[in-house]
């Protein structure tokens, strides 16, 4: 929130700590200075953050095009590491299989006032809509609005075979990516270097070329081959259980911090 962290953790002894976890709110103008002061006061030398690639105009930055954050400059003197979202292993209980009602779906924002940073996502959704109409595929697009209940969101994803997700407007992997496989849906995204070492096309995700030239071919292939689609979902679920839980992320952080 930008509030001075020392006021919120006054009764906690942070001496000799080695970690402080930051989210993508790092781009707010006053957060880095407060974070550095807090770390210096408590002997913390490692800063972990969601790797955010832009400065938001509404927070006082007005460069055009948007500047990219230089974490080496912002957090000079500290060890700083980008880190991805994660969930506790118990967050996603075993989901019983349910009847699939939709071929492809999406939830989230596809347009923003923040200077065109969702162009890839918007273009992908537009092309998928045309593809669905051309091939008479069932779709479930819940974009630019909130679900009324968590159950509605979960039910919508569980009843969909393929779910769209892309890099966020902040330039990092979205939290939603880790939610898709546990709800028995396959990830559909566009190739990006952020996914290297995390997603692999045909193994735990369906990854489309940046020019969308293989979009129709891949979607139709997996819809016609449910066993292949099932294998992708199961592989992604296994990856999340093994590599992207809170426990796994903390192990990664401790290794980087020592």
């Amino acid at each position: 929130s930008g509030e001075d962290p020392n006021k919120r953790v006054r009764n906690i002894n942070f001496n000799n700590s080695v970690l402080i976890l930051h989210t993508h709110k790092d781009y707010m103008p006053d957060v880095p200075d407060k974070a550095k002061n807090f770390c210096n006061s408590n002997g913390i030398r490692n800063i972990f953050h969601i790797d955010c690639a832009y400065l938001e105009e509404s927070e006082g930055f007005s460069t055009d095009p948007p500047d990219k954050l230089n974490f080496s400059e912002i957090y000079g003197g500290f060890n700083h590491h980008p880190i991805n979202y994660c969930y506790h292993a118990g967050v996603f209980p075993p989901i019983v299989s349910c009847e699939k009602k939709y071929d492809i779906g999406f939830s989230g924002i596809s347009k923003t006032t923040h200077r065109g940073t969702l162009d890839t996502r918007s273009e992908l959704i537009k092309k998928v809509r045309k593809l669905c109409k051309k091939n008479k595929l069932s779709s479930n697009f819940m974009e630019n609005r909130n679900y009324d209940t968590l159950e509605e969101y979960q039910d919508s994803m569980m009843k969909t075979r393929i779910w769209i997700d892309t890099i966020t407007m902040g330039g990092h992997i979205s939290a939603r990516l880790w939610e898709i496989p546990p709800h028995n849906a396959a990830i559909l995204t566009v190739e990006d270097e952020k996914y290297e070492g995390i997603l692999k096309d045909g193994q735990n995700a369906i990854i489309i070329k940046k020019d969308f030239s293989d979009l129709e071919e891949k979607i139709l292939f997996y819809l016609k081959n449910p066993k292949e689609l099932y294998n992708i979902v199961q592989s992604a679920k296994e990856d999340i259980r093994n590599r992207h839980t809170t426990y796994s992320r903390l192990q990664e952080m401790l290794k980087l911090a020592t």
Side-chain angles (χ1 to χ4, degrees), residues 103-106 120-141 143 160 162-166 188-190 208 212 214-216 219-220 223:
D103 292 315
I104 190 162
F106 170 78
T120 297
R121 181 181 296 180
S122 299
E123 186 65 19
L124 174 59
I125 292 172
K126 183 167 64 176
K127 288 184 178 297
V128 170
R129 284 186 181 278
K130 290 181 179 179
L131 188 155
C132 288
K133 185 176 181 179
K134 173 184 175 182
N135 294 279
K136 298 182 179 179
L137 304 179
S138 56
S139 61
N140 178 23
F141 290 96
E143 55 188 302
T160 306
I162 298 172
W163 202 265
I164 295 171
D165 190 67
T166 65
L188 173 70
T189 192
V190 179
I208 305 302
F212 306 105
D214 56 349
L215 175 64
E216 183 170 5
I219 287 180
L220 294 182
L223 290 177

Side-chain angles (χ1 to χ4, degrees), residues 27-158:
Y27 62 74
M28 295 173 65
D30 57 348
V31 170
D33 286 339
K34 289 181 178 179
K36 286 188 288 187
N37 290 338
F38 176 72
C39 291
N40 280 325
S41 298
N42 293 284
I44 297 173
R45 306 314 304 166
N46 289 274
I47 293 179
F48 291 83
H49 55 83
I50 299 299
D51 192 12
C52 189
Y54 73 112
L55 299 177
E56 189 172 347
E57 187 174 12
S58 64
E59 297 294 347
F61 298 97
S62 57
T63 56
D64 192 13
D67 288 338
K68 288 189 175 182
L69 290 179
N70 185 334
F71 283 108
S72 296
E73 181 178 323
I74 292 174
Y75 292 124
F78 294 94
N79 300 317
H80 58 91
H81 318 273
I83 200 84
N84 279 307
Y85 288 103
C86 59
Y87 290 98
H88 187 274
V91 165
F92 301 112
I95 294 176
V96 296
S97 59
C98 65
E99 182 181 355
K100 294 293 185 180
K101 185 177 179 181
Y102 306 103
D103 292 315
I104 190 162
F106 170 78
S107 63
I109 58 172
S110 61
K111 58 183 178 181
T112 175
T113 59
H114 300 303
R115 294 177 287 181
T117 51
L118 286 175
D119 288 348
T120 297
R121 181 181 296 180
S122 299
E123 186 65 19
L124 174 59
I125 292 172
K126 183 167 64 176
K127 288 184 178 297
V128 170
R129 284 186 181 278
K130 290 181 179 179
L131 188 155
C132 288
K133 185 176 181 179
K134 173 184 175 182
N135 294 279
K136 298 182 179 179
L137 304 179
S138 56
S139 61
N140 178 23
F141 290 96
M142 310 291 283
E143 55 188 302
N144 302 315
R145 82 164 183 83
N146 292 325
Y147 285 91
D148 293 329
T149 64
L150 178 60
E151 288 73 20
E152 181 189 3
Y153 172 69
Q154 293 175 315
D155 186 67
S156 181
M157 191 176 288
M158 284 190 294

